[in-house]
């Protein structure tokens, strides 16, 4: 398949996911959360912004519909475009709500709505910590292609959990660009609870030994975060 055809296929798949997410949102169902797995929600950080923009677009739609009353063709075209835009914005939020991060027995699945999903084997996690950051930071070291990059799944412009890995994992973006990374930063609504849950799963597998007092060092310049 040509590169252009692959891009169109990925965009069509993305659109199908957020449309399906609208149906799950209405019926209060989640995607990809099996019994025994723990969902780690992240949609709360963007909810106010999405709903605010949706309201503004709805007001604009009504205003244009009135102003273009004398131009029926233009009014009909803009109405279709505006309604689709409103649906897409709601689908953006629905995908974030119904496709949470999922912590399973073997794999930590990190998602970015309907756009991206990163599967991290729990056995490959070296450390996880609460780490609130705003804005994307450039990767350091030899770069993403060398497996030393950083992937950020930000929500509302922020990440709050950093996961360090023993070996690289692949991150495939919406348009097909692949990165090999050893550090993944993501956001969770209850970041400290997410950190505690991942650490507990690591302890079950014998991967983590708590420091005195039950804390795990956060690294240079950072205080320890007490699980829970």
């Amino acid at each position: 398949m040509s590169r252009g055809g692959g891009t169109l296929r990925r965009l069509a798949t993305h659109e199908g996911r957020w449309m399906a997410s609208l149906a799950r949102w209405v019926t209060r169902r989640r995607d990809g959360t099996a019994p025994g797995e723990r969902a780690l929600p992240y949609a709360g950080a963007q909810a106010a912004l999405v709903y605010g923009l949706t309201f503004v677009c709805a007001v604009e739609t009504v205003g244009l519909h009135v102003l273009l009353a004398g131009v029926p063709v233009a009014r009909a075209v803009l109405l279709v475009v505006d309604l689709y835009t409103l649906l897409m914005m709601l689908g953006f939020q629905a995908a974030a709500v119904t496709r949470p991060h999922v912590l399973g027995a073997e794999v930590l699945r990190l998602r970015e709505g309907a756009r991206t999903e990163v599967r991290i084997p729990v056995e490959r996690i070296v450390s996880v910590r609460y780490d609130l950051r705003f804005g994307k930071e450039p990767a350091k070291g030899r770069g993403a292609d060398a497996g030393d990059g950083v992937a950020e799944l930000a929500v509302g412009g922020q990440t709050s959990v950093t996961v360090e890995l023993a070996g690289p994992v692949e991150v495939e973006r919406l348009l097909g660009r692949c990165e090999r990374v050893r550090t993944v930063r993501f956001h969770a609504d209850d970041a400290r609870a997410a950190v505690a849950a991942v650490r507990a799963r690591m302890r079950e597998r014998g991967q983590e030994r708590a420091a005195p007092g039950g804390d795990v060092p956060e690294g240079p310049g950072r205080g320890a975060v007490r699980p829970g």
Side-chain angles (χ1 to χ4, degrees), residues 12-182:
T13 300
H14 172 258
E15 186 162 346
R17 284 175 182 162
W18 67 252
M19 286 184 174
S21 295
L22 284 169
R24 292 191 185 94
W25 199 20
V26 172
T27 56
R28 298 181 179 274
R29 292 183 293 117
R30 286 174 170 164
D31 175 56
T33 306
E37 295 182 332
R38 176 166 179 171
L40 307 174
Y42 57 87
Q46 69 182 27
L49 176 62
V50 173
Y51 295 143
L53 289 174
T54 301
F55 175 76
V56 170
C57 288
V59 172
E60 179 192 34
T61 298
V62 174
L64 287 175
H65 194 69
V66 173
L67 290 174
L68 296 175
V71 191
V73 175
R75 183 171 69 167
V77 171
L78 285 176
L79 180 62
V80 171
V81 171
D82 286 343
L83 289 177
Y84 178 80
T85 300
L86 287 170
L87 191 66
M88 184 169 58
M89 294 182 69
L90 290 175
F92 177 75
Q93 179 65 9
V97 172
T98 62
R99 294 171 59 85
H101 306 310
V102 178
L103 177 60
E106 305 290 336
V107 177
L108 172 63
R109 297 166 62 191
L110 302 178
R111 290 152 151 182
E112 193 177 27
R115 298 183 297 281
T116 306
E117 180 171 312
V118 184
R119 291 174 174 263
I120 301 176
V122 175
E123 64 182 10
R124 200 171 295 183
I125 299 175
V126 173
S127 67
V128 57
R129 66 181 183 270
Y130 174 77
D131 185 17
L132 184 60
R133 295 170 182 256
F134 294 90
K136 184 173 179 60
E137 297 187 9
K140 298 179 181 179
R142 291 176 291 169
D145 291 338
D148 291 330
V150 178
E152 296 190 350
L153 307 181
V155 180
Q158 65 179 315
T159 59
S160 53
V161 180
T162 294
V163 179
E164 304 283 355
L165 307 176
V169 296
E170 284 200 352
V171 179
E172 184 176 359
R173 298 296 184 175
L174 175 60
L175 298 182
R177 180 170 60 90
C178 289
E179 306 170 4
R180 297 181 71 239
V181 302
R182 289 180 183 267

